[in-house]
Amino acid sequence: MKLSRFLRVLLAWAGLAGVFPEARAHDPGLSVAQAVIRAETIELTTAFAPADAGALLPADKRPAKWTAAEFEAVKPALLQLAPTLWEVRAGGEVLVAGNPRVQLTEKSDSVEFRLTFRRGATGGPVVFRGLKFEGLPPGHREYFTVENEQTLLAEKLLYVKSPSVEVVLTPARATQAAAGEQAPSPSFWGFLKLGVEHIWTGYDHLLFLFGLLVVCRTFRSIVGIITCFTVAHSLTLALATLNVVNLPSRVVEPLIAASIVFVGVENLLRRGAEPKGRWALTFVFGLIHGFGFASVLRELGVGEGGRGLAMPLFTFNFGVELGQIAIAAVVLPIVWRLRKNETFLRRGVPVLSAIVALAGLYWLLERTVFA
């Protein structure tokens, strides 16, 4: 490949970097909402990532950075937004949201909206409907829980096509609450789909895996790489979700980006040859990527407050593996066929490895210097 053509490829990739902020590897669009039903009121708390909260504001009101000072400047607009986030009905009657409050959490990692709805003597089922999903990034999911003062009544993953949940407050529910019984967990398919979507939009995970596989010369090495990555990230996903071991996102995210840079650069230094012992490298870096996967379940509050943990953990990880296998089934035959071409081995593999390294460097700078 001539130098001018090589530069054109790199410049095209650099141009794509301009759209990366809209497709962040660990911003799949997640929020958490909790409703507490009391005798006369319903207290509803919703926590958004700052970027998602900003997306719900007019363009001229969105803070460039969510510092304490900028939050205070935009707080009036957020207070106006708060009552429009939800429609709550009790016995068919629309309840009025009062006493809106909003705060930026201590670590500036979420914006919390708090609303209080007066129930009075209104009976019948209570229906919660999210009104802002269409203004959020595609694929946004909200982990919604409904509780009374004693137990969990319902939980569900809400999204644009399924934005509501209904809770029937029957005498049986009151008996269940007194006995301390838990409501059924969200559907198996909800967390399975979330896992698939997370890996399909986890561009850094996919690029890391691609960088590893593009230099594999045998089917045995491909199976070994995928197995080591799967076992490693499944291990730390479980440990982190169970709160046995935890690393903060400010550490995990740069390390994930650094792993991509390392793999891309190593491919270039090896001139496209498959490095020896790469399964061990894959396992070590896979442990780090598992902490990134775990952040999704932690952000959703899975396992907290006595909520079920086994089903979400298993099905989310199973979804990640299914998504990973689906992508590998499409990409690997193409790469395998290309590797039979000597020109691809001499020129294509180095170019792809350079792209991997540059993308990893972009994410590394974004998560450290420009964070």
Side-chain angles (χ1 to χ4, degrees), residues 32-38 41-47 86-89 95 113-117 119 126-129 142-156 158 165-167 169 307:
V32 181
Q34 178 190 46
V36 180
I37 299 178
R38 305 185 189 280
T41 62
I42 297 174
E43 295 180 2
L44 182 51
T45 303
T46 311
W86 293 95
E87 178 187 84
V88 180
R89 292 176 175 267
L95 305 184
F113 297 86
R114 296 177 181 271
L115 296 168
T116 300
F117 297 84
R119 283 183 64 211
V126 180
V127 180
F128 301 88
R129 181 179 179 83
E142 185 159 77
Y143 186 57
F144 188 83
T145 60
V146 185
E147 305 173 1
N148 60 18
E149 295 176 287
Q150 295 174 296
T151 190
L152 180 68
L153 300 176
E155 54 183 343
K156 184 180 179 181
L158 305 181
V165 61
E166 178 176 319
V167 178
L169 302 176
R307 300 186 187 103

Side-chain angles (χ1 to χ4, degrees), residues 13-14 16-24 257 261 355-368 370:
W13 180 256
L16 287 176
V19 304
F20 281 0
E22 298 302 320
R24 296 178 187 272
V261 176
I355 290 174
V356 169
L358 285 173
L361 181 60
Y362 170 84
W363 280 318
L364 181 60
L365 293 174
E366 181 191 45
R367 297 169 187 183
T368 53
F370 303 116

